[in-house]
Amino acid sequence: EAQVTQNPRYLITVTGKKLTVTCSQNMNHEYMSWYRQDPGLGLRQIYYSMNVEVTDKGDVPEGYKVSRKEKRNFPLILESPSPNQTSLYFCASSPGQRQETQYFGPGTRLLVL
Amino acid sequence: DQQVKQNSPSLSVQEGRISILNCDYTNSMFDYFLWYKKYPAEGPTFLISISSIKDKNEDGRFTVFLNKSAKHLSLHIVPSQPGDSAVYFCAAPPRGGNFNKFYFGSGTKLNVKP
């Protein structure tokens, strides 16, 4: 089954404790992105990647890091999480330029205390 | 500054009637627009799109209208069904086809009552 998986689905952590949210897709897609969803703000793009070792900032990259060492994986790293990073995070992938073929993961709900 | 805006956070409609969801944008560089649908505990899924060279695109019960002069688009669902109850996001990438850097609205939660 073609899918984008994220782990963990739910996470409670404390300020300053480094964490990684993993994202993996099994569709051999070149493009991958991370978004956060916040009430009243919709989905905002954090980072995106056009291929292995090629990443760029989205709309709200501050406080986040990403890496793309393999085509299928695109982890999101919070080196020193803060309460304002409490949010619902989505990973997405797409095979090419046309965004309507973007596939989203199920989401990771993060609470930073 | 949100470049894509959905000013109605929620909408309630009776089954069988028309649902109209609205979206406004400020960036005149947008030339492609998409609607996504999101159920609770799931990621968004693509619903329908429209290019700025068109003013209407239809797919079954879903039609998107684009008014470029007003920088406004709308999604019509006819007839509405209870299974359409979800959050709907409009989205747009900047001109130039960099589809990997784009903007979502804040979403409208549609409730279709049986």
Side-chain angles (χ1 to χ4, degrees):
Chain A
E1 181 191 354
Q3 60 182 352
V4 178
T5 57
Q6 297 178 226
N7 282 292
R9 294 290 311 276
Y10 303 92
L11 179 60
I12 301 174
T13 189
V14 295
T15 298
K17 186 176 181 182
K18 180 180 178 179
L19 67 92
T20 299
V21 183
T22 64
C23 173
S24 183
Q25 49 95 3
N26 62 359
M27 295 168 279
N28 201 35
H29 287 170
E30 290 187 358
Y31 297 85
M32 298 185 75
S33 295
W34 275 103
Y35 299 87
R36 59 178 289 174
Q37 182 187 358
D38 301 291
L41 297 175
L43 287 156
R44 293 180 293 169
Q45 196 170 32
I46 303 171
Y47 268 96
Y48 61 95
S49 170
M50 291 151 286
N51 213 324
V52 175
E53 302 291 2
V54 182
T55 63
D56 204 353
K57 296 177 181 178
D59 209 23
V60 287
E62 295 78 18
Y64 304 94
K65 285 175 60 176
V66 292
S67 69
R68 188 91 182 273
K69 293 184 171 56
E70 305 166 281
K71 199 171 188 179
R72 63 182 292 127
N73 296 323
F74 189 44
L76 179 69
I77 303 156
L78 284 72
E79 294 270 3
S80 182
S82 61
N84 64 12
Q85 291 178 299
T86 292
S87 187
L88 178 57
Y89 292 87
F90 290 100
C91 178
S93 74
S94 67
Q97 294 285 334
R98 295 185 66 79
Q99 276 295 353
E100 62 261 39
T101 51
Q102 186 163 228
Y103 297 84
F104 282 82
T108 295
R109 188 166 291 280
L110 172 65
L111 172 61
V112 182
L113 300 173
Chain B
D1 180 32
Q2 281 192 287
Q3 300 191 45
V4 177
K5 299 178 184 179
Q6 293 174 258
N7 293 318
S8 298
S10 63
L11 175 67
S12 188
V13 171
Q14 202 68 37
E15 180 179 6
R17 307 293 288 268
I18 184 171
S19 295
I20 300 176
L21 295 90
N22 294 304
C23 179
D24 297 295
Y25 60 97
T26 58
N27 190 338
S28 58
M29 297 297 284
F30 291 150
D31 62 351
Y32 198 83
F33 303 90
L34 307 96
W35 285 92
Y36 281 82
K37 177 179 181 179
K38 183 186 178 304
Y39 291 119
E42 295 183 12
T45 55
F46 169 74
L47 185 60
I48 192 169
S49 63
I50 188 167
S51 165
S52 62
I53 63 174
K54 296 183 175 181
D55 53 19
K56 175 183 174 181
N57 188 27
E58 188 172 353
D59 183 2
R61 296 186 296 113
F62 302 91
T63 303
V64 57
F65 296 92
L66 175 61
N67 182 336
K68 290 186 289 294
S69 61
K71 293 193 177 68
H72 177 83
L73 61 154
S74 60
L75 174 68
H76 292 211
I77 307 173
V78 184
S80 301
Q81 299 174 354
D84 296 329
S85 296
V87 178
Y88 291 79
F89 294 98
C90 63
R95 189 188 299 273
N98 185 0
F99 287 103
N100 290 278
K101 183 177 173 65
F102 71 117
Y103 304 93
F104 280 88
S106 54
T108 297
K109 185 174 184 179
L110 174 65
N111 178 33
V112 180
K113 296 177 287 187

